[in-house]
Amino acid sequence: MKLKTLSLIAATLALTLTASPFAVQAQQNPSSPQPGKEWQKKGQFQKLNLTPEQKTKMQEIGRNTRAQMEAVLTPEQKTKLQAAMAERKAQRQERKAQGQQGQGQRQQGRGKRGDIFASLNLTQSQKDQIKQIRESSKQQMQAVLTPEQQAQMKQMRENMRSRRQQNQPQ
């Protein structure tokens, strides 16, 4: 159970640390998106039809969350995390260049993400702080959404959970 919680925290941290630069880059680089890259530029809120004000607030919350999570890590952990993220980015670009974006490749990447955060050796205090930051961020984002968008977000999360459960090995 602890491993599952740690993996969830690690995945969220990875998502937060990698998604924020994409959101900033998308705002600075409004060129035509490449096929298959729309999700990176529009993020997880693509289907919610956010207003420009909502998008700005969500990006700000994401940046603040990332900064708070980075503040929890020691300099050594930050260095390890940045190196691991750079390595994963290089691997993704290499696969892209080879045209290998198949399901098997994605499955391999998921396993490595957990390994990355396991190598950081987070203390229980750090895990607790990151969990608290994540929860606060989630609440802030919910407050930005309209009731209809909140319901849509809840449905999207449930769909994602069920897909994850279906993809887990028996």
Side-chain angles (χ1 to χ4, degrees):
M1 186 65 179
K2 283 186 178 184
L3 182 59
K4 200 173 198 179
T5 303
L6 177 59
S7 295
L8 181 61
I9 292 171
T12 302
L13 180 60
L15 179 64
T16 302
L17 293 175
T18 57
S20 295
F22 289 133
V24 172
Q25 180 182 8
Q27 192 175 31
Q28 294 171 347
N29 234 350
S31 63
S32 62
Q34 299 172 356
K37 294 291 183 180
E38 294 87 8
W39 65 272
Q40 287 180 337
K41 296 208 177 214
K42 294 183 181 179
Q44 62 183 337
F45 303 109
Q46 170 184 1
K47 296 180 181 178
L48 295 179
N49 298 321
L50 299 177
T51 66
E53 294 81 18
Q54 287 176 312
K55 289 178 185 177
T56 302
K57 288 179 184 177
M58 291 293 198
Q59 289 172 350
E60 183 180 332
I61 292 168
R63 283 190 298 269
N64 291 341
T65 300
R66 179 180 176 181
Q68 289 174 353
M69 286 185 176
E70 285 180 350
V72 170
L73 301 176
T74 65
E76 295 82 18
Q77 289 170 328
K78 287 180 193 177
T79 302
K80 280 185 182 180
L81 181 62
Q82 289 170 349
M85 287 171 46
E87 181 181 338
R88 287 195 65 222
K89 183 177 180 179
Q91 289 172 350
R92 281 194 310 267
Q93 289 175 340
E94 182 178 321
R95 282 195 307 264
K96 179 183 168 189
Q98 296 173 354
Q100 297 177 344
Q101 280 292 32
Q103 187 71 14
Q105 294 291 329
R106 280 184 245 146
Q107 291 294 335
Q108 287 177 350
R110 284 190 188 132
K112 291 181 181 181
R113 187 181 309 153
D115 296 342
I116 291 170
F117 283 93
S119 72
L120 294 181
N121 297 321
L122 296 173
T123 65
Q124 188 59 46
S125 173
Q126 287 175 312
K127 293 175 194 175
D128 293 342
Q129 287 176 313
I130 288 172
K131 185 176 180 179
Q132 186 177 22
I133 292 166
R134 270 189 52 241
E135 192 59 37
S136 172
S137 173
K138 182 179 172 183
Q139 289 173 359
Q140 290 173 27
M141 288 183 178
Q142 284 290 327
V144 171
L145 301 175
T146 66
E148 294 82 18
Q149 289 170 328
Q150 290 175 1
Q152 196 174 358
M153 176 66 96
K154 183 178 180 182
Q155 184 63 45
M156 288 174 12
R157 283 189 179 134
E158 288 172 6
N159 292 344
M160 190 168 40
R161 274 190 204 107
S162 66
R163 280 194 308 264
R164 246 185 281 153
Q165 288 175 349
Q166 289 173 356
N167 290 336
Q168 285 181 348
Q170 299 296 322

